[in-house]
Each structure stands twice: as C-alpha cells, then as structure tokens.
Amino acid sequence: MARPLTTSAAAWRHLTTTAGFDPEGYDRPLADFLRSPDGLDLGLSSDIGHELGSRAVPIETFLEAFFRGMRPYGHMLQDLLNLFVEAGAQHSDHGLAVEFDFGREANLGFDLEQFRQWLAQWAKSHGEVEEARWTTNQLWGLLEILGRCDEGSMPADLRRWSREYREEGRWPVTRVALSATGDPDLDRLLQRGWRLWESVVGECARLAPDRRTLNQLWHQSWKQERGQARADEETAWPLQVLGGLDSDLGPASLASGLVATAHEARTGLGGSAIAEKKARLQELFDSLPVTAVNRETWVLEWQAYLDLPLWKQRHELYSAWVSTQILAATEPLPRRVHSEAGVLRFAFGGSHVATMPTLEPAVHLWAELRSPIEHRPLGLDRKTKIQPDFTLLCDPVTGKRSAFLVVECKQYRHASKKNFLQALIDYARGRPEALIVLVNYGPIPEHWLGEAPIDLQDRLRMIGDFRPGEKTGANRFREAVRTALAPRVLGPGRQVPSTSVKTADEPRPDPPLRRIILRWQGARDLDLHLFLRSEHRSAHVYYSQVGSQSWEPWAALDRDGRQTPGREEIVLTRFCPGIYQVFVHAFSGGGIEWSDAEVELEYRGSRVLTTVPEGVSGTWWHVCDWDAGRESLSVVGRVGDEAPQSLDGWPSNA
C-alpha cells in the first residue's frame, strides 16, 4: 500500500517528482493559480514547496486549491466524453472505444465505460475536501464577531437571496458575490467565512429539499436513540448543528455579516472596529480543530488519480479537446461524428472526425490531415508536406483549395514566436484559401502577427489562453470558426442554420446601431446584455451566449470583463426588423449605483453616451431600446432589481 501523504509539502513533492507535474513548463498556469490570491496566496514568485512547509498549509487546503485549479482539465474531459457519447449514439454502439495515437510509444486507448469511471474518480477526489470542524458555539461566535447589515443597505442580490430563504422557505437559487475589501489579509478571512457559508447552505440543501423539511428532520432527530445521535455527530455537518443554525436563520445572518464587514472595510465606515474584527476572526479560525476524517482513503484516492492514464497523457489530450470546440462552433448545423468498427480514432497518421452533410458540398473535419506544400517549409520538422492538427474542408477532400480552416494546437513550455509564426506561414502557403488559426493553452503576444508576411496576415489568427473557463479566447475562437464557415452556410440560396429562422424579415447589412460599449470603474463585474425580439426571431447575447458576427444573431460579445476598471463590447454586423434592448447587470452584486458605469452607442456614425441615473439602486440597468423596424433609438435609463422578463426565446433566468 502506498505511504500516505500527510502534509501539503509532501503532496507537492509527490506531484513534482513522481506524478509528472511540471510547474515551470506545461503546468505553469496551475502553479501560478496556486500562488495567486484565488488559490493559496503564496506570492506570485514564491517557491511553492518552501511556502507550503514554512506556512504549515494543511494538506486539505492544498488539495482543495489544487483541484479547483484543475477544473479546466475536468471540463476538457467532460467535453470529450460528450463527443464520444454522441459518436456512440449515432452508431447504436454503447461500447464505443477510443484510440489516441500520439505518434510515439505513449499511446492511449479506452472504452466509454473506462472513461466514465475515470471522470467519476476525478469528481470523487475533487469533492472530498476536508474542512475544520465547527461546533454550534463557534458558529454563533463567528456571527457575533461579524454582526449584520440592515436590510435597507443590503446589496440587491443578497436581498433577493434573503427573501427566497426567509419568506419562501427554500434554498435560494440567486447567486450572491462577496466584494473585495482591498485588505488582502481581511479578504482571506472573509473568503474563508464565505466558503463556510456556502458549505452550510449546500449541506442543508443536500439533507432536505426545503427549510420546512429540514426543520422536521431536526426535530425527529431529537427523538432518536442516543447511539444514533452519536453516529450523526461524527459527520462533517451534524444534523443537530445545521437544524439548530437554520431554525434561528443562521445562514442568512452569516451572509449578511460577511457582506456588511466587507462593505464597512471597503468604504471606511467600520473605522478602527475593522482591525478588531480582523484580529478576532483570525483568533477564531486559528482555534478551530482540523479533523482528519478518512485521511488515508483520501490520500490513496488522490495518489490513484495521479496514476490514471488520462493524467499521464493530459497534455496530449488538449488537441483532442480542441476538436470539440470546433464542432461546438458549428452548431446548430447537423453533423455525424465518425467511428470505425466501433472505434473513434484520433490518429497521428490522419483521421476523419466528423461530417456536416447538409451543406453543399459537404464539409468535413479531419485530424492530422497531410497535404503537400509547393514552397520550402520554414519549420524544420516539415519537409514536403504540412500536417496541422485539424482541418475543415469541403469536397473534394484531396483538392488543394478545398480547405477553408486550419487549426494548430500548441502547449509549449514557453510561447515561441519563431515556431508559431513558421507554422502559421507554412499552413497558409500550403492551404491558400484557408483561415489559419493557432491556439495555445497559455498566453500569446498578439503583436507577433505583425511580423508575418503582409499578404498573409488577413488569414492568420493567434489565440492565447484557449482553455475551459477563459471566455475571451473561447469567443475569439468561435468567431474565427464561424467566419471561415460562413461562406459555405450563407452562399446563394442557402438558409442560415438556426431553428428560430423563418423566411420573412431577412437580415439587412450595415445596421445603424453598430457598437455597444460598456465601461465601469466602481464594481467588480458588470455584464452587458443585448436582447432581440421580432416576429420570427429572438436572441440573447451575453457572456454565456456570445453570439456571432458571421451568422445569426449577427451580434457578438467580444469579451467578458471581470476586472475593475472593466470593459465589454457587442458588435452588430446585420440587423432584423424588431426590438433590440440593451441591459447592464451587476453580476458581482453591490448595485449598479456603485459601478460608475457608462454605455457608449455607435449609432448612425455618431457617439451616444449614457450613464447610470443618479439617486437609484438596483442590479439591472435598462439602458436603451432600438426599434430596428422604425430605426428609432430611445434611452430608457431605468434601474431596478428585477431581471428582464422572459419573452419569446429569452431565458427566464437572464
């Protein structure tokens, strides 16, 4: 049996010496996350192993941060699983197998059931994070330190949460965010309290569907045998603790106290009392005992996870994940994902991944498709042929000019200007009609493209930070794919691939309203929303549905700003007769009135600027309406807490 790892420093040594973790190379993004305030806050240039040991960071805290940083990898696995399931369903073969040929001895093959088991192992390890054991007295001591804020001064999101919790008696669905104070030490303490609050509410929801049921279970537990009660107390959150806390509205008080303390510290209203609160919070957290429940099982599961084939080959799987993003960008076009004799292959020697048969000519996605190049290649590993990771092309597949999109995937230890440019130039010369896109897991300086030949630059794209969770890279990649695909979709006599499109009200070019730009200073995260409603169409463009400039809705969000100062922009390329409405949402809470936000509209070649109305409060700002049929623009300037009402085709939880 493996020797248990009992300290965070030992776990780090195991990662870097045995499990193949490369903190200064391929795994630099995850190492940087661990150093950051969102991870373990060890210092951006610190030696992680040394800091873990000198600070005596508990192994549970380290593993919780490690697996939070691993979320992009988990999302990649889920996207790949969905692709495999799709291929299996199309062939009525639930035993579909997958083979990866990475061009060397370290190849990987498995079937769907194995893949699901590996995902379950990851999810299980991710979920089993140990935390300090709280007693009822300690919880009420925390509430006494924090105090609470008056309902009138609560942020709108917390007011909605509290109303759902108190008056409706259910576990709220409203998302609540805790604002930063500007004091790193206090922020760490408040975030620890916030995670405690999330854990309490989550465990309550797991035990009972609503507060009334939880209260009934709590009263029943008092009537149980003493032995059963003792067994219940051995769990991380005993029913006796949660039931008693909820009966006195403890979760609402805890959220209110954390938000109030953050607000007092951020605005200076708390004065010298904030320093006292911080000291008392630190003393309380330091006094909590850490209970190692099933520690050995946890350690063995964590070590077993690092021995899985998918962990060992995690970097090679990145390019396979990129194929799922290419196909996602082509939706809602019908497609067939191909398997051969029950095997879905990603082969170094070339494999036919998918076909979009409804286009004429049909469009195909190939992996590692080789083709000749007339010019002498710049890349040393290319002789007379090019072999990019993915190619979108139409019939005939062997035609030199059939390819219209080439995607090359990189996970370099350090971004290489020379190698990246050489690959782009070779592929552009070998595929003279194609848009060439190079994606990298880490960052790429965009100005490098300025050193490519001028006659090729319009066909070249570099997209850095392309991985799950990074919306800017995802938006740019989706737009690149759709730009390349649009001429095949929008050619003469072809209909735009959207289930909401009808024959009337065909889109028109050159919309009078071209750009919508949101800027803000005083909030952490605002979101720009554009709604379209017409007789035959409806659309909602925002951070979760970024839209497209190349096909319907012919409006796209170019970035999802999450920092202060922030900026988001929606660009329109065509328009349909109908009503366009512009909203701004204070996603991180705190209210629009604190945001110092402005929206700039590019309308009929002029600049129209509007700011948040004074003397208002709320989380939703209805900026303006544009009647595209009558071509009239009206500034609304209404602020409130209610989200836009659900209309035809609009999400009800906008």
Side-chain angles (χ1 to χ4, degrees):
M1 185 173 68
R3 181 180 179 182
L5 303 173
T6 58
T7 67
S8 58
W12 179 254
R13 285 194 298 273
H14 179 81
L15 267 175
T16 54
T17 62
T18 305
F21 188 80
D22 183 7
E24 300 304 323
Y26 288 117
D27 296 308
R28 181 63 181 266
L30 179 52
D32 287 343
F33 171 80
L34 293 175
R35 294 185 178 100
S36 74
D38 290 333
L40 296 170
D41 199 16
L42 303 176
L44 297 182
S45 59
S46 63
D47 181 311
I48 294 178
H50 173 76
E51 292 297 321
L52 292 174
S54 63
R55 300 188 187 198
V57 176
I59 188 171
E60 294 81 13
T61 301
F62 168 73
L63 293 182
E64 191 271 340
F66 174 79
F67 281 114
R68 277 194 291 119
M70 283 292 294
R71 284 174 183 167
Y73 177 65
H75 289 308
M76 285 186 198
L77 297 186
Q78 187 64 60
D79 289 340
L80 283 167
L81 175 60
N82 291 338
L83 179 64
F84 302 156
V85 170
E86 179 181 341
Q90 290 175 166
H91 294 80
S92 299
D93 181 5
H94 299 292
L96 179 71
V98 184
E99 288 184 359
F100 290 90
D101 175 4
F102 301 121
R104 58 179 188 270
E105 293 182 1
N107 295 330
L108 177 63
F110 50 84
D111 59 33
L112 280 176
E113 185 55 35
Q114 284 177 288
F115 196 88
R116 291 190 183 100
Q117 290 174 1
W118 291 339
L119 277 177
Q121 176 70 52
W122 187 89
K124 187 176 182 181
S125 296
H126 184 198
E128 293 188 2
V129 178
E130 297 180 12
E131 296 183 350
R133 182 67 61 86
W134 288 79
T135 66
T136 301
N137 288 338
Q138 289 167 329
L139 287 169
W140 286 111
L142 175 61
L143 293 174
E144 188 272 329
I145 294 172
L146 293 171
R148 56 180 300 172
C149 62
D150 296 330
E151 185 173 352
S153 61
M154 282 185 184
D157 55 357
L158 182 57
R159 282 203 301 272
R160 287 198 303 273
W161 188 96
S162 182
R163 185 167 58 247
E164 293 170 13
Y165 174 80
R166 292 171 178 264
E167 300 174 13
E168 300 175 20
R170 59 189 176 94
W171 310 120
V173 296
T174 296
R175 291 181 297 179
V176 184
L178 181 68
S179 300
T181 68
D183 181 337
D185 293 332
L186 179 59
D187 283 339
R188 278 197 300 272
L189 294 170
L190 294 180
Q191 284 295 333
R192 185 169 179 181
W194 198 253
R195 290 195 294 270
L196 168 69
W197 171 72
E198 291 175 331
S199 175
V200 166
V201 176
E203 184 64 13
C204 286
R206 188 190 69 81
L207 289 173
D210 52 47
R211 293 187 58 221
R212 182 167 179 256
T213 306
L214 179 66
N215 187 263
Q216 292 173 344
L217 293 174
W218 176 50
H219 283 289
Q220 290 172 5
S221 69
W222 287 104
K223 302 176 183 179
Q224 294 177 343
E225 294 293 333
R226 183 64 180 171
Q228 176 61 41
R230 283 195 300 270
D232 182 50
E233 290 169 359
E234 294 177 1
T235 63
W237 284 112
L239 177 58
Q240 292 297 332
V241 172
L242 293 179
L245 189 67
D246 177 71
S247 70
D248 290 324
L249 304 176
S253 298
L254 180 55
S256 172
L258 289 165
V259 169
T261 301
H263 177 64
E264 291 169 358
R266 184 175 62 253
T267 60
L269 296 176
S272 60
I274 290 297
E276 181 183 352
K277 276 191 179 184
K278 185 165 69 171
R280 294 179 65 190
L281 286 172
Q282 186 66 64
E283 181 181 1
L284 174 62
F285 286 136
D286 289 344
S287 70
L288 295 173
V290 176
T291 304
V293 178
N294 297 324
R295 176 187 292 274
E296 185 173 343
T297 301
W298 158 252
V299 171
L300 291 178
E301 287 172 353
W302 130 270
Q303 291 177 249
Y305 165 67
L306 296 179
D307 290 333
L308 290 175
L310 284 181
W311 167 263
K312 300 295 185 181
Q313 302 292 341
R314 64 196 182 281
H315 302 299
E316 288 84 349
L317 285 172
Y318 174 67
S319 63
W321 171 77
V322 171
S323 72
T324 70
Q325 303 309 291
I326 296 174
L327 292 175
T330 68
E331 293 176 349
L333 287 172
R335 64 179 182 239
R336 291 197 308 267
V337 179
H338 300 299
S339 64
E340 179 183 349
V343 178
L344 179 62
R345 288 190 173 90
F346 288 83
F348 182 76
S351 56
H352 190 185
V353 178
T355 296
M356 282 154 267
T358 58
L359 298 180
E360 181 60 39
V363 168
H364 308 273
L365 176 61
W366 275 76
E368 302 284 357
L369 179 64
R370 297 179 185 178
S371 60
I373 182 173
E374 296 178 359
H375 301 78
R376 181 177 179 179
L378 299 176
L380 297 178
D381 57 343
R382 292 180 285 275
K383 304 302 181 184
T384 60
K385 297 180 182 296
I386 56 174
Q387 188 175 347
D389 288 307
F390 295 102
T391 305
L392 265 181
L393 71 170
C394 56
D395 293 332
V397 174
T398 55
K400 179 179 179 180
R401 297 182 178 273
S402 297
F404 56 87
L405 176 70
V406 167
V407 178
E408 179 71 0
C409 311
K410 297 295 186 184
Q411 267 195 307
Y412 272 42
R413 292 172 181 267
H414 304 285
S416 169
K417 179 170 66 174
K418 178 181 177 181
N419 290 341
F420 286 10
L421 285 174
Q422 286 180 346
L424 286 168
I425 294 168
D426 284 346
Y427 296 152
R429 289 173 174 170
R431 293 295 195 180
E433 302 295 328
L435 179 68
I436 314 299
V437 180
L438 185 146
V439 299
N440 190 44
Y441 189 92
I444 305 177
E446 293 187 23
H447 67 268
W448 284 359
L449 279 180
E451 300 185 29
I454 295 178
D455 62 316
L456 299 179
Q457 287 183 12
D458 288 345
R459 292 197 293 122
L460 306 182
R461 303 286 191 275
M462 282 185 180
I463 302 177
D465 294 321
F466 185 56
R467 58 184 184 270
E470 295 294 334
K471 294 178 182 176
T472 299
N475 294 348
R476 293 182 59 205
F477 183 76
R478 180 185 292 115
E479 185 62 23
V481 175
R482 293 187 168 188
T483 297
L485 190 60
R488 277 79 193 166
V489 177
L490 300 176
R494 295 177 188 155
Q495 292 294 322
V496 177
S498 173
T499 57
S500 65
V501 174
K502 298 185 180 180
T503 56
D505 293 345
E506 285 305 310
R508 306 170 187 176
D510 301 324
L513 179 61
R514 300 299 300 266
R515 293 179 186 275
I516 308 164
I517 303 170
L518 165 67
R519 303 182 185 92
W520 69 90
Q521 297 285 341
R524 186 170 58 185
D525 186 1
L526 296 187
D527 289 318
L528 182 60
H529 294 250
L530 175 64
F531 295 95
L532 162 63
R533 180 184 59 173
S534 69
E535 181 180 357
H536 300 297
R537 290 174 171 83
S538 61
H540 180 192
V541 177
Y542 68 121
Y543 65 87
S544 185
Q545 301 176 35
V546 297
S548 173
Q549 296 182 38
S550 303
W551 56 26
E552 192 169 282
W554 295 284
L557 179 73
D558 78 330
R559 71 182 69 192
D560 176 28
R562 302 184 188 178
Q563 304 295 328
T564 300
R567 183 181 188 276
E568 292 190 4
E569 179 178 348
I570 292 177
V571 178
L572 291 82
T573 54
R574 300 187 183 194
F575 72 104
C576 302
I579 304 298
Y580 290 74
Q581 295 186 306
V582 178
F583 282 82
V584 173
H585 181 221
F587 180 83
S588 60
I592 289 288
E593 64 272 20
W594 295 349
S595 66
D596 194 20
E598 64 178 25
V599 171
E600 178 184 333
L601 308 170
E602 183 183 320
Y603 185 68
R604 296 189 179 279
S606 299
R607 176 174 174 263
V608 179
L609 186 66
T610 179
T611 58
V612 177
E614 296 182 358
V616 298
S617 63
T619 57
W620 282 93
W621 172 24
H622 186 175
V623 181
C624 65
D625 290 344
W626 174 45
D627 187 333
R630 299 179 180 179
E631 296 191 9
S632 65
L633 178 69
S634 59
V635 175
V636 178
R638 186 166 55 247
V639 175
D641 290 331
E642 296 301 321
Q645 291 184 355
S646 176
L647 299 173
D648 294 344
W650 295 18
S652 59
N653 59 345

